[in-house]
Amino acid sequence: MSANTSEQEAIIQGPHMQRTSPVTVQAGAGTGKTHTIGEIARAHPDRQILYLCFNKDIQLEAQAKFEDLPNMEPVTFHAFADRFSKVNSLSAERAYQDQWRKEVKTLVRSMLSKGDTPPKWKQLFGLFDEFAAQVLSLNAFLVAWWSANPTAQRSSLERWMRVLEAHVFSEQRTIRCLPWTVTFKAIQRASAFHPSPFSLDFAGKYDLVLVDEAQDLNCMFRQVAEHFIRTDRLVMFFGDKHQQINRWNGAENAMAHIQAHYTKTTTLTLSRSFRFGPAVASIANVLARTFHSHSTPLQGVARCETFVAMWDGERALSQTTGPTAFLAFRQQSVLDMALRCMARQKAFYLGNSTEKLLKEVRALYNKIANEPADQKGKILDEIRSRIQNEREVQPSESHVAKHPDDKDVYDALFKSRVTRRKRTAQTLALLTVHSSKGLEFDTLYVADDVFHPLDKPRKDVTTDEHSIAYTAVTRVKRALRLPPSAQSWVDESKL
């Protein structure tokens, strides 16, 4: 991209840059969002810019691209939070932690009084493994809010489980969101006894804040961004509503929230995709307009046209060269493809979530192998019973229950994979769609389980199912290979 488009210029030099009202940018896939963010820093060298990145990979990419821009600092939300804790919270820790415990206990007791379902938090706790990990990593706010004692933190999570059991057992998204809500209610109550962490000014030297992937923020991160707005900083939210794929984990579209609650919000758009050509843009637009009829359509303007074809097996995939990826919705589909690549001696690496699952599967295999013979069958029967009764089961448990004799196979798979540090441009990426956010590949193979949920009456297809498919197809640059279940969407796009 040699020159900025009119859409990009409107974002870089528009009148909103002289105000402190928030800005939302609907940035379609491959439309030069990162380029635009860099141009903002170049056009305003006198401004100190904080670029809040979605994850570590995006932060590292931004640091490499923007190393010549001393006025912009890319940082993840977690890293920024950790820095804040070291600056602001140490003196508050002892004075605050006792009152925090007391207020959480009071709040949860009052919520529990509204329900009479017996506590079964152990059944629910599996849903919160990831949530617990997120919370425990937010040292910035946790040091100020909680005791540094992990036992106390786990105890708080146990209380939340009881609240969930009593009130919102049937609604997964509410289950995911409620702990954040309880956190903020307790903070508000406790602030009467000690200054809330949000009353401390952690905006610091920055006068412009750029928030990445704003369509998928949890409510704590959104609260951080809103703190900057309340302290008269210009905050610009970049995201793509069609790629909101983390609702299952309690994420929300912060751009929609900002537009609804801040009447002076400026709304801008990036719609010209430099990643792919018209063919992919046409499929993406069909998927997008099913749920967002008023969206600005994507324009595929890449110099190299993207080739779209169907595929129904791994043979072609194992023979590819150059940056290539296989994307699936389920981790099990990724593992299945990894087994096929291992059989064909095709080098591959796994995304973080599937790598974690593989390690958990091997750990469970080893645990069962070390049990006495009479206990091995009982463990597997107990897991199968939970599956049959639709009780909470970890993915690793479900996998081992279905493949109890495959320990050696998965040991070999673990040894044959290429670690992310040793991967090259020729190493095939096997990823879930969730792990592919922010990435792009020359050649892309999409698994059947991405489009299969869409193979039903349109009125029965959920927004999340469309977003998964949209996110998957828009990772490609040159050659897109789709499964047979995508045929109707290809036909509708008039390719």
Side-chain angles (χ1 to χ4, degrees), residues 66-143:
F66 304 143
E67 60 182 354
D68 62 328
L69 298 173
N71 63 321
M72 183 166 71
E73 182 178 6
V75 62
T76 65
F77 273 99
H78 290 81
F80 177 73
D82 185 61
R83 180 191 310 168
F84 165 63
S85 71
K86 293 173 182 176
V87 173
N88 289 308
S89 66
L90 294 180
S91 62
E93 179 183 349
R94 288 188 179 86
Y96 191 69
Q97 61 188 9
D98 290 338
Q99 190 60 43
W100 158 250
R101 287 199 194 109
K102 180 179 179 181
E103 289 302 316
V104 167
K105 192 173 182 179
T106 301
L107 176 67
V108 172
R109 186 183 295 119
S110 68
M111 296 180 73
L112 281 172
S113 67
K114 301 175 184 178
D116 56 4
T117 306
K120 299 178 183 176
W121 67 267
K122 289 184 178 180
Q123 294 181 20
L124 288 170
F125 199 78
L127 289 171
F128 279 81
D129 282 350
E130 183 174 352
F131 166 75
Q134 292 174 354
V135 170
L136 295 176
S137 68
L138 283 168
N139 294 329
F141 304 107
L142 294 178
V143 169

Coordinates of all heavy atoms in Angstrom, one line a residue, residues 66-143:
F66 N 6.5 -1.0 13.9 CA 6.5 0.4 14.3 C 7.8 0.8 15.1 O 7.7 1.7 15.9 CB 5.3 0.7 15.1 CG 4.0 0.3 14.4 CD1 2.9 -0.2 15.1 CD2 3.8 0.6 13.1 CE1 1.7 -0.6 14.5 CE2 2.6 0.3 12.4 CZ 1.6 -0.3 13.1
E67 N 8.9 0.1 14.9 CA 10.1 0.4 15.7 C 10.6 1.8 15.4 O 11.3 2.3 16.2 CB 11.1 -0.7 15.4 CG 11.6 -0.7 14.0 CD 12.7 -1.8 13.8 OE1 13.1 -2.4 14.8 OE2 13.1 -2.1 12.6
D68 N 10.2 2.4 14.3 CA 10.7 3.7 14.0 C 9.7 4.8 14.5 O 9.9 6.0 14.2 CB 10.8 3.9 12.5 CG 9.5 3.7 11.7 OD1 8.6 2.9 12.2 OD2 9.3 4.4 10.7
L69 N 8.7 4.4 15.3 CA 7.8 5.4 15.8 C 7.9 5.4 17.4 O 7.2 4.7 18.1 CB 6.3 4.9 15.4 CG 6.1 4.9 13.9 CD1 4.7 4.2 13.7 CD2 6.1 6.3 13.3
P70 N 8.7 6.3 17.9 CA 8.9 6.4 19.3 C 7.7 6.9 20.1 O 7.7 6.7 21.3 CB 10.1 7.4 19.4 CG 10.1 8.2 18.2 CD 9.6 7.3 17.1
N71 N 6.8 7.5 19.4 CA 5.6 8.1 20.1 C 4.5 7.0 20.3 O 3.4 7.4 20.8 CB 5.1 9.3 19.4 CG 4.6 9.0 18.0 OD1 5.2 8.2 17.3 ND2 3.5 9.6 17.6
M72 N 4.7 5.8 19.8 CA 3.6 4.8 19.9 C 4.2 3.6 20.6 O 5.3 3.1 20.3 CB 3.0 4.4 18.6 CG 1.9 3.4 18.8 SD 0.9 3.1 17.3 CE 2.0 2.2 16.3
E73 N 3.4 3.1 21.6 CA 3.8 1.9 22.4 C 2.8 0.8 22.3 O 1.7 0.9 22.8 CB 4.0 2.2 23.9 CG 4.5 1.1 24.7 CD 4.8 1.4 26.1 OE1 4.4 2.6 26.5 OE2 5.3 0.6 26.9
P74 N 3.1 -0.3 21.5 CA 2.2 -1.4 21.5 C 2.3 -2.3 22.8 O 3.5 -2.6 23.2 CB 2.7 -2.2 20.3 CG 3.7 -1.4 19.6 CD 4.2 -0.5 20.6
V75 N 1.2 -2.6 23.4 CA 1.3 -3.4 24.6 C 0.0 -4.2 24.7 O -1.1 -3.7 24.3 CB 1.5 -2.5 25.8 CG1 0.4 -1.5 26.0 CG2 1.7 -3.3 27.1
T76 N 0.0 -5.4 25.3 CA -1.2 -6.1 25.5 C -1.9 -5.6 26.7 O -1.3 -4.9 27.6 CB -0.9 -7.6 25.7 OG1 -0.2 -7.8 26.9 CG2 -0.2 -8.2 24.5
F77 N -3.2 -5.9 26.8 CA -4.0 -5.4 28.0 C -3.4 -6.0 29.3 O -3.3 -5.3 30.3 CB -5.5 -5.9 27.9 CG -6.4 -5.0 27.1 CD1 -6.7 -5.2 25.8 CD2 -6.9 -3.9 27.7 CE1 -7.5 -4.3 25.1 CE2 -7.7 -3.0 27.1 CZ -8.0 -3.2 25.7
H78 N -3.0 -7.3 29.2 CA -2.5 -7.9 30.4 C -1.1 -7.2 30.8 O -0.9 -7.0 32.0 CB -2.2 -9.4 30.2 CG -3.5 -10.2 30.1 ND1 -4.2 -10.2 28.9 CD2 -4.2 -10.9 31.0 CE1 -5.3 -11.0 29.1 NE2 -5.3 -11.4 30.3
A79 N -0.3 -7.0 29.9 CA 1.0 -6.3 30.2 C 0.8 -4.9 30.8 O 1.5 -4.5 31.7 CB 1.9 -6.3 29.0
F80 N -0.1 -4.2 30.2 CA -0.4 -2.9 30.7 C -1.0 -2.9 32.1 O -0.6 -2.1 33.0 CB -1.5 -2.2 29.8 CG -1.9 -0.8 30.3 CD1 -1.0 0.3 30.1 CD2 -3.1 -0.6 30.8 CE1 -1.3 1.5 30.6 CE2 -3.5 0.7 31.3 CZ -2.6 1.7 31.2
A81 N -1.8 -3.9 32.4 CA -2.4 -4.1 33.7 C -1.3 -4.4 34.7 O -1.3 -3.9 35.8 CB -3.4 -5.2 33.7
D82 N -0.4 -5.2 34.3 CA 0.7 -5.6 35.2 C 1.6 -4.4 35.5 O 2.0 -4.2 36.7 CB 1.6 -6.7 34.5 CG 2.7 -7.2 35.5 OD1 2.3 -7.8 36.5 OD2 3.8 -7.1 35.1
R83 N 1.8 -3.6 34.6 CA 2.6 -2.4 34.8 C 1.9 -1.4 35.8 O 2.5 -0.9 36.7 CB 2.8 -1.6 33.5 CG 3.7 -0.3 33.6 CD 3.6 0.4 32.3 NE 3.9 -0.4 31.2 CZ 3.8 0.0 29.9 NH1 3.2 1.2 29.6 NH2 4.1 -0.8 28.9
F84 N 0.6 -1.3 35.6 CA -0.2 -0.5 36.5 C -0.1 -0.9 37.9 O 0.0 -0.2 38.8 CB -1.7 -0.5 36.0 CG -2.6 0.1 37.0 CD1 -2.5 1.4 37.4 CD2 -3.6 -0.7 37.5 CE1 -3.4 1.9 38.3 CE2 -4.5 -0.2 38.4 CZ -4.4 1.1 38.8
S85 N -0.1 -2.2 38.1 CA -0.1 -2.8 39.5 C 1.2 -2.4 40.2 O 1.2 -2.0 41.3 CB -0.3 -4.3 39.5 OG 0.9 -4.9 39.0
K86 N 2.3 -2.5 39.4 CA 3.6 -2.2 40.0 C 3.7 -0.8 40.4 O 4.4 -0.4 41.4 CB 4.7 -2.6 39.1 CG 4.7 -4.2 38.9 CD 5.7 -4.5 37.8 CE 5.7 -6.1 37.6 NZ 6.6 -6.5 36.5
V87 N 3.0 0.1 39.7 CA 3.1 1.5 39.9 C 2.2 2.0 41.0 O 2.5 2.8 41.9 CB 2.9 2.3 38.7 CG1 2.8 3.8 39.0 CG2 3.9 2.0 37.6
N88 N 0.9 1.5 41.0 CA -0.1 2.1 41.8 C -0.6 1.2 43.0 O -1.2 1.8 43.9 CB -1.3 2.3 40.9 CG -1.1 3.5 40.0 OD1 -0.7 4.6 40.4 ND2 -1.3 3.3 38.7
S89 N -0.5 -0.1 42.9 CA -1.3 -0.9 43.8 C -0.5 -1.4 45.1 O -1.2 -1.9 46.0 CB -1.9 -2.1 43.1 OG -0.8 -2.9 42.7
L90 N 0.8 -1.4 45.1 CA 1.5 -2.0 46.2 C 1.1 -1.4 47.5 O 0.9 -2.1 48.5 CB 3.0 -2.0 45.9 CG 3.5 -2.8 44.7 CD1 5.0 -2.6 44.6 CD2 3.1 -4.2 44.9
S91 N 1.0 -0.1 47.6 CA 0.7 0.6 48.8 C -0.7 0.3 49.2 O -1.1 0.4 50.4 CB 0.9 2.1 48.7 OG 0.1 2.6 47.7
A92 N -1.6 0.0 48.3 CA -3.0 -0.2 48.6 C -3.3 -1.6 49.0 O -4.4 -1.9 49.5 CB -3.9 0.2 47.3
E93 N -2.4 -2.6 48.7 CA -2.7 -4.0 48.8 C -3.2 -4.4 50.2 O -4.3 -4.9 50.4 CB -1.5 -4.8 48.5 CG -1.7 -6.3 48.6 CD -0.4 -7.1 48.3 OE1 0.5 -6.5 47.8 OE2 -0.5 -8.3 48.6
R94 N -2.4 -4.1 51.3 CA -2.7 -4.6 52.6 C -4.0 -3.9 53.1 O -4.9 -4.6 53.7 CB -1.6 -4.3 53.6 CG -0.4 -5.2 53.3 CD 0.7 -5.0 54.4 NE 1.8 -5.9 54.2 CZ 2.9 -5.6 53.5 NH1 2.9 -4.4 52.9 NH2 3.9 -6.5 53.3
A95 N -4.1 -2.6 52.8 CA -5.3 -1.9 53.4 C -6.6 -2.3 52.7 O -7.7 -2.3 53.2 CB -5.1 -0.4 53.2
Y96 N -6.4 -2.8 51.4 CA -7.6 -3.1 50.6 C -8.1 -4.5 50.7 O -9.3 -4.8 50.6 CB -7.3 -2.7 49.2 CG -8.5 -2.6 48.3 CD1 -9.5 -1.7 48.5 CD2 -8.7 -3.6 47.3 CE1 -10.6 -1.6 47.7 CE2 -9.8 -3.6 46.5 CZ -10.8 -2.6 46.7 OH -11.9 -2.5 45.9
Q97 N -7.2 -5.5 50.8 CA -7.5 -6.8 50.6 C -8.5 -7.4 51.6 O -9.4 -8.1 51.2 CB -6.3 -7.7 50.6 CG -5.5 -7.7 51.9 CD -4.2 -8.4 51.8 OE1 -3.8 -8.8 50.7 NE2 -3.5 -8.6 52.9
D98 N -8.4 -7.0 52.9 CA -9.4 -7.5 53.9 C -10.8 -7.0 53.6 O -11.8 -7.7 53.7 CB -8.9 -7.0 55.3 CG -7.7 -7.8 55.7 OD1 -7.4 -8.9 55.1 OD2 -7.0 -7.3 56.6
Q99 N -10.9 -5.7 53.2 CA -12.2 -5.1 52.9 C -12.8 -5.8 51.6 O -14.0 -6.0 51.5 CB -12.1 -3.6 52.8 CG -13.5 -2.9 52.7 CD -14.3 -3.2 54.0 OE1 -13.8 -3.2 55.1 NE2 -15.6 -3.5 53.8
W100 N -11.9 -6.1 50.7 CA -12.3 -6.7 49.5 C -13.0 -8.1 49.8 O -14.1 -8.4 49.3 CB -11.2 -6.9 48.5 CG -11.3 -7.9 47.5 CD1 -10.7 -9.1 47.4 CD2 -12.2 -7.9 46.3 NE1 -11.1 -9.8 46.3 CE2 -12.0 -9.1 45.6 CE3 -13.1 -7.0 45.9 CZ2 -12.8 -9.4 44.5 CZ3 -13.8 -7.3 44.7 CH2 -13.7 -8.5 44.1
R101 N -12.3 -8.9 50.6 CA -12.8 -10.2 50.9 C -14.2 -10.0 51.6 O -15.2 -10.8 51.3 CB -11.9 -10.9 51.9 CG -10.6 -11.4 51.2 CD -10.0 -12.5 52.1 NE -8.6 -12.8 51.8 CZ -7.6 -12.4 52.5 NH1 -7.7 -11.7 53.6 NH2 -6.4 -12.7 52.1
K102 N -14.3 -9.1 52.5 CA -15.6 -8.9 53.2 C -16.7 -8.5 52.3 O -17.8 -9.0 52.4 CB -15.4 -7.8 54.3 CG -16.6 -7.5 55.1 CD -16.3 -6.5 56.2 CE -17.5 -6.1 57.0 NZ -17.2 -5.1 58.0
E103 N -16.4 -7.6 51.4 CA -17.5 -7.1 50.5 C -17.9 -8.2 49.5 O -19.1 -8.3 49.1 CB -17.0 -5.8 49.7 CG -16.9 -4.6 50.6 CD -18.2 -4.3 51.3 OE1 -19.2 -4.3 50.6 OE2 -18.2 -4.0 52.5
V104 N -16.9 -9.0 49.0 CA -17.3 -10.0 48.1 C -18.2 -11.0 48.8 O -19.2 -11.5 48.2 CB -16.1 -10.8 47.5 CG1 -16.4 -12.1 46.8 CG2 -15.3 -9.9 46.5
K105 N -17.8 -11.4 50.0 CA -18.6 -12.3 50.8 C -20.1 -11.8 51.0 O -21.0 -12.5 50.8 CB -17.9 -12.6 52.1 CG -18.5 -13.7 52.9 CD -17.6 -14.0 54.1 CE -18.1 -15.2 54.9 NZ -17.3 -15.5 56.1
T106 N -20.2 -10.5 51.3 CA -21.5 -9.9 51.6 C -22.3 -9.9 50.3 O -23.5 -10.3 50.3 CB -21.3 -8.5 52.1 OG1 -20.6 -8.5 53.3 CG2 -22.7 -7.9 52.3
L107 N -21.7 -9.6 49.2 CA -22.4 -9.5 47.9 C -22.9 -10.9 47.5 O -24.0 -11.0 47.1 CB -21.5 -8.9 46.8 CG -22.0 -8.8 45.4 CD1 -23.2 -7.8 45.4 CD2 -21.0 -8.4 44.4
V108 N -22.0 -11.9 47.6 CA -22.4 -13.2 47.1 C -23.5 -13.8 48.0 O -24.4 -14.4 47.5 CB -21.1 -14.1 47.1 CG1 -21.6 -15.6 46.8 CG2 -20.2 -13.6 46.0
R109 N -23.4 -13.5 49.3 CA -24.4 -14.0 50.2 C -25.8 -13.4 49.8 O -26.8 -14.1 49.9 CB -24.1 -13.6 51.7 CG -25.1 -14.3 52.7 CD -24.7 -13.8 54.1 NE -23.4 -14.3 54.5 CZ -22.4 -13.6 54.9 NH1 -22.5 -12.3 54.9 NH2 -21.3 -14.1 55.3
S110 N -25.8 -12.1 49.5 CA -27.1 -11.5 49.1 C -27.6 -12.1 47.8 O -28.8 -12.2 47.7 CB -26.9 -10.0 49.0 OG -26.1 -9.7 47.9
M111 N -26.7 -12.4 46.9 CA -27.2 -13.0 45.6 C -27.7 -14.4 45.8 O -28.7 -14.8 45.2 CB -26.0 -13.0 44.6 CG -25.6 -11.6 44.2 SD -24.2 -11.5 43.0 CE -25.1 -12.1 41.6
L112 N -27.0 -15.2 46.7 CA -27.4 -16.5 47.0 C -28.8 -16.6 47.7 O -29.5 -17.6 47.5 CB -26.4 -17.2 47.9 CG -25.1 -17.7 47.2 CD1 -24.1 -18.2 48.3 CD2 -25.4 -18.9 46.3
S113 N -29.1 -15.5 48.4 CA -30.4 -15.5 49.1 C -31.6 -15.6 48.2 O -32.7 -15.8 48.5 CB -30.5 -14.3 50.0 OG -30.6 -13.1 49.3
K114 N -31.3 -15.3 46.9 CA -32.4 -15.2 45.9 C -32.7 -16.6 45.2 O -33.6 -16.7 44.4 CB -32.1 -14.2 44.8 CG -31.9 -12.8 45.4 CD -31.4 -11.8 44.3 CE -31.1 -10.4 44.8 NZ -30.6 -9.5 43.8
G115 N -31.9 -17.6 45.5 CA -32.0 -18.9 44.9 C -31.9 -20.0 45.9 O -31.3 -19.8 47.0
D116 N -32.4 -21.2 45.6 CA -32.4 -22.2 46.6 C -31.9 -23.5 46.0 O -32.0 -24.6 46.6 CB -33.8 -22.5 47.2 CG -34.8 -22.8 46.1 OD1 -34.4 -22.8 44.9 OD2 -36.0 -22.9 46.4
T117 N -31.2 -23.4 44.8 CA -30.6 -24.6 44.2 C -29.4 -25.1 45.0 O -28.6 -24.2 45.3 CB -30.3 -24.4 42.7 OG1 -31.4 -23.9 42.1 CG2 -29.8 -25.6 42.1
P118 N -29.3 -26.3 45.3 CA -28.1 -26.7 46.1 C -26.8 -26.5 45.3 O -26.8 -26.7 44.1 CB -28.3 -28.2 46.4 CG -29.4 -28.6 45.5 CD -30.2 -27.4 45.1
P119 N -25.7 -26.2 45.9 CA -24.5 -25.9 45.2 C -23.9 -27.1 44.5 O -23.8 -28.1 45.1 CB -23.6 -25.3 46.3 CG -24.1 -25.8 47.5 CD -25.6 -25.9 47.4
K120 N -23.5 -26.9 43.2 CA -22.9 -28.0 42.5 C -21.7 -27.4 41.7 O -21.5 -27.7 40.6 CB -23.8 -28.7 41.5 CG -25.0 -29.3 42.2 CD -25.9 -29.9 41.1 CE -27.2 -30.5 41.7 NZ -28.1 -31.0 40.7
W121 N -21.0 -26.5 42.4 CA -20.0 -25.8 41.7 C -18.9 -26.6 41.1 O -18.3 -26.3 40.1 CB -19.4 -24.7 42.6 CG -18.5 -25.2 43.7 CD1 -19.0 -25.5 45.0 CD2 -17.2 -25.6 43.7 NE1 -18.0 -26.0 45.8 CE2 -16.8 -26.0 45.0 CE3 -16.2 -25.6 42.8 CZ2 -15.5 -26.5 45.4 CZ3 -14.9 -26.0 43.1 CH2 -14.6 -26.4 44.4
K122 N -18.6 -27.8 41.7 CA -17.6 -28.7 41.1 C -18.0 -29.1 39.7 O -17.1 -29.3 38.8 CB -17.4 -29.9 42.0 CG -16.7 -29.6 43.3 CD -16.4 -30.9 44.1 CE -15.7 -30.5 45.4 NZ -15.4 -31.8 46.2
Q123 N -19.2 -29.3 39.4 CA -19.7 -29.6 38.1 C -19.4 -28.5 37.1 O -19.2 -28.7 35.9 CB -21.2 -30.0 38.0 CG -21.5 -31.3 38.8 CD -23.0 -31.6 38.7 OE1 -23.7 -31.1 37.9 NE2 -23.4 -32.4 39.7
L124 N -19.5 -27.3 37.6 CA -19.4 -26.1 36.8 C -18.0 -25.6 36.6 O -17.6 -24.9 35.7 CB -20.2 -24.9 37.3 CG -21.7 -25.1 37.2 CD1 -22.4 -24.0 38.0 CD2 -22.1 -24.9 35.8
F125 N -17.1 -26.0 37.6 CA -15.8 -25.4 37.6 C -15.0 -25.6 36.4 O -14.2 -24.8 36.0 CB -15.0 -25.9 38.8 CG -13.8 -25.0 39.2 CD1 -14.1 -23.9 40.0 CD2 -12.6 -25.3 38.9 CE1 -13.1 -23.0 40.3 CE2 -11.5 -24.5 39.2 CZ -11.8 -23.3 39.9
G126 N -15.2 -26.7 35.6 CA -14.5 -26.9 34.4 C -14.7 -25.8 33.4 O -13.9 -25.5 32.6
L127 N -15.9 -25.2 33.4 CA -16.2 -24.1 32.5 C -15.3 -23.0 32.7 O -15.1 -22.1 31.9 CB -17.7 -23.7 32.6 CG -18.8 -24.6 32.1 CD1 -20.1 -24.1 32.5 CD2 -18.7 -24.7 30.6
F128 N -14.8 -22.9 34.0 CA -14.1 -21.7 34.4 C -12.6 -21.8 34.4 O -11.9 -20.9 34.8 CB -14.6 -21.2 35.7 CG -15.9 -20.5 35.6 CD1 -17.0 -21.1 35.5 CD2 -15.9 -19.1 35.5 CE1 -18.2 -20.5 35.3 CE2 -17.0 -18.4 35.4 CZ -18.2 -19.1 35.3
D129 N -12.0 -22.9 33.9 CA -10.6 -23.1 33.9 C -9.9 -21.9 33.2 O -9.0 -21.3 33.6 CB -10.2 -24.4 33.3 CG -10.4 -25.6 34.2 OD1 -10.6 -25.3 35.4 OD2 -10.3 -26.7 33.8
E130 N -10.5 -21.6 32.0 CA -9.9 -20.6 31.2 C -10.1 -19.2 31.8 O -9.2 -18.4 31.9 CB -10.5 -20.6 29.8 CG -9.8 -19.5 28.9 CD -10.3 -19.6 27.4 OE1 -11.1 -20.6 27.1 OE2 -10.0 -18.8 26.6
F131 N -11.3 -19.0 32.4 CA -11.6 -17.8 33.0 C -10.7 -17.6 34.2 O -10.1 -16.5 34.4 CB -13.0 -17.7 33.5 CG -13.3 -16.6 34.5 CD1 -13.4 -15.3 34.0 CD2 -13.4 -16.9 35.8 CE1 -13.6 -14.3 35.0 CE2 -13.7 -15.9 36.7 CZ -13.8 -14.6 36.3
A132 N -10.5 -18.6 35.0 CA -9.6 -18.5 36.2 C -8.2 -18.1 35.8 O -7.6 -17.3 36.4 CB -9.6 -19.8 37.0
A133 N -7.7 -18.7 34.7 CA -6.4 -18.4 34.2 C -6.3 -16.9 33.8 O -5.3 -16.3 34.1 CB -6.0 -19.3 33.1
Q134 N -7.3 -16.4 33.2 CA -7.3 -15.0 32.8 C -7.3 -14.1 34.0 O -6.5 -13.2 34.1 CB -8.6 -14.7 32.0 CG -8.6 -15.4 30.6 CD -9.9 -15.1 29.9 OE1 -10.9 -14.6 30.5 NE2 -10.1 -15.6 28.7
V135 N -8.1 -14.4 35.0 CA -8.2 -13.6 36.2 C -6.8 -13.6 36.9 O -6.3 -12.6 37.3 CB -9.3 -14.1 37.1 CG1 -9.2 -13.4 38.5 CG2 -10.6 -13.8 36.5
L136 N -6.3 -14.8 37.1 CA -5.0 -14.9 37.8 C -3.9 -14.2 37.1 O -2.9 -13.8 37.7 CB -4.7 -16.4 38.1 CG -5.7 -17.1 39.0 CD1 -5.4 -18.5 39.2 CD2 -5.7 -16.4 40.4
S137 N -4.0 -14.0 35.8 CA -2.9 -13.4 35.1 C -3.0 -11.9 35.1 O -2.0 -11.2 34.8 CB -2.9 -13.8 33.6 OG -4.0 -13.4 33.0
L138 N -4.1 -11.3 35.5 CA -4.3 -9.9 35.6 C -3.7 -9.3 36.9 O -4.5 -8.8 37.7 CB -5.8 -9.5 35.4 CG -6.3 -9.6 34.0 CD1 -7.8 -9.5 34.0 CD2 -5.7 -8.5 33.1
N139 N -2.4 -9.4 37.0 CA -1.8 -9.0 38.3 C -2.1 -7.6 38.7 O -2.2 -7.2 39.8 CB -0.3 -9.3 38.2 CG 0.0 -10.7 38.1 OD1 -0.7 -11.6 38.6 ND2 1.1 -11.1 37.4
A140 N -2.2 -6.8 37.6 CA -2.4 -5.3 37.9 C -3.5 -5.0 38.8 O -3.4 -4.3 39.8 CB -2.7 -4.6 36.5
F141 N -4.7 -5.6 38.4 CA -5.9 -5.3 39.2 C -6.1 -6.2 40.4 O -6.6 -5.9 41.4 CB -7.1 -5.3 38.3 CG -6.9 -4.4 37.1 CD1 -6.7 -4.9 35.9 CD2 -7.0 -3.0 37.3 CE1 -6.5 -4.0 34.8 CE2 -6.8 -2.2 36.3 CZ -6.5 -2.7 35.0
L142 N -5.6 -7.4 40.2 CA -5.8 -8.4 41.3 C -4.9 -8.1 42.5 O -5.4 -8.3 43.7 CB -5.4 -9.8 40.8 CG -6.3 -10.4 39.7 CD1 -5.8 -11.7 39.3 CD2 -7.7 -10.4 40.2
V143 N -3.7 -7.5 42.3 CA -2.9 -7.2 43.5 C -3.6 -6.1 44.3 O -3.6 -6.1 45.5 CB -1.5 -6.7 43.0 CG1 -0.8 -6.1 44.2 CG2 -0.7 -7.9 42.5

